Amino acid sequence: VWRYDPGVDRWEPRRAMPPPRGGLAVAMVNGKLYAVGGKDGQVFTTNEEYDPVADSWRSRAPMPTGRDHLDAAGLGGKVYVVGGRVGLMSRNLAATEVYDPATDRWETRRAMATARGGIAAVALGGRLFVFGGEESAGTFAQTEVYDPATDRWTAMAAMPTARHGLGAAAVGGKIFVIGGGVKPGASRSNLNEVFDPGP
């Protein structure tokens, strides 16, 4: 693990994450990071909590559903984990599972309408937005938003360009959706599209 300080434009090493894995998701809640899922020859249910102040890791309750190429976001003091796949693009998931660090327990919530891995998830305005993804037949342009108060997913305007393995971040009430592959598997783009969710 490395930490980047933009104030001095410098990286510094931190305590390594156990166990090593790729295709995982990370979310922040109450100043701590939660690294969930991923794979390394096998698919993980692993949930590791990192305290950046103490530079320490500890194992927490595992996810109910092991998966990789998922995404996660912190929302309302909990970690929302969505989508992903079980090793293969043909085994995509629509699962939504929520972790409560205060109780170290997981809860299963309503699944997305579209099963997909290689997605991007962002919390904004008390809701969770999920973009893109892939399957063996192609890439997804879908945008879905989840309201935890009603446990309901709603379809919103699709991305102009379908893609997977993309990144997304909320800035000034809008969501910037950047990069990603336009074809399944190893592909890439330099796209930067902005989504305005409205009020």
Side-chain angles (χ1 to χ4, degrees):
V1 175
W2 290 78
R3 181 175 69 177
Y4 176 69
D5 185 341
V8 295
D9 190 25
R10 185 170 59 213
W11 289 89
E12 67 174 270
R14 307 289 282 178
R15 188 176 303 276
M17 174 188 69
R21 51 202 156 119
L24 73 164
V26 177
M28 184 179 72
V29 172
N30 297 327
K32 294 182 180 177
L33 297 175
Y34 295 86
V36 294
K39 69 175 182 177
D40 180 16
Q42 62 176 332
V43 175
F44 287 94
T45 59
T46 305
N47 173 21
E48 298 281 346
E49 178 190 85
Y50 177 70
D51 183 338
V53 175
D55 189 23
S56 64
W57 291 91
R58 67 169 174 163
S59 294
R60 305 292 279 163
M63 283 193 302
T65 308
R67 43 195 156 138
D68 62 280
H69 289 81
L70 64 165
D71 210 352
L75 181 60
K78 298 180 181 180
V79 179
Y80 285 75
V81 181
V82 292
R85 61 190 183 221
V86 185
L88 302 171
M89 283 187 276
S90 59
R91 299 180 65 190
N92 278 341
L93 301 171
T96 303
E97 294 169 345
V98 183
Y99 174 69
D100 186 345
T103 61
D104 193 29
R105 298 181 68 177
W106 288 87
E107 177 185 2
T108 299
R109 304 299 298 266
R110 187 181 304 274
M112 288 189 296
T114 310
R116 45 199 167 123
I119 57 177
V122 177
L124 178 64
R127 298 182 293 172
L128 180 70
F129 295 83
V130 177
F131 302 90
E134 69 176 330
E135 61 181 1
S136 54
T139 53
F140 291 96
Q142 277 90 334
T143 300
E144 294 181 62
V145 60
Y146 176 74
D147 185 342
T150 60
D151 189 27
R152 180 182 176 189
W153 285 96
T154 303
M156 299 194 78
M159 293 189 297
T161 312
R163 47 205 157 110
H164 69 97
L166 60 170
V171 181
K174 298 180 181 181
I175 301 172
F176 290 73
V177 184
I178 300 171
V182 295
K183 298 179 181 179
S187 66
R188 57 195 175 275
S189 74
N190 60 359
L191 292 162
N192 182 10
E193 298 172 342
V194 184
F195 176 69
D196 186 345

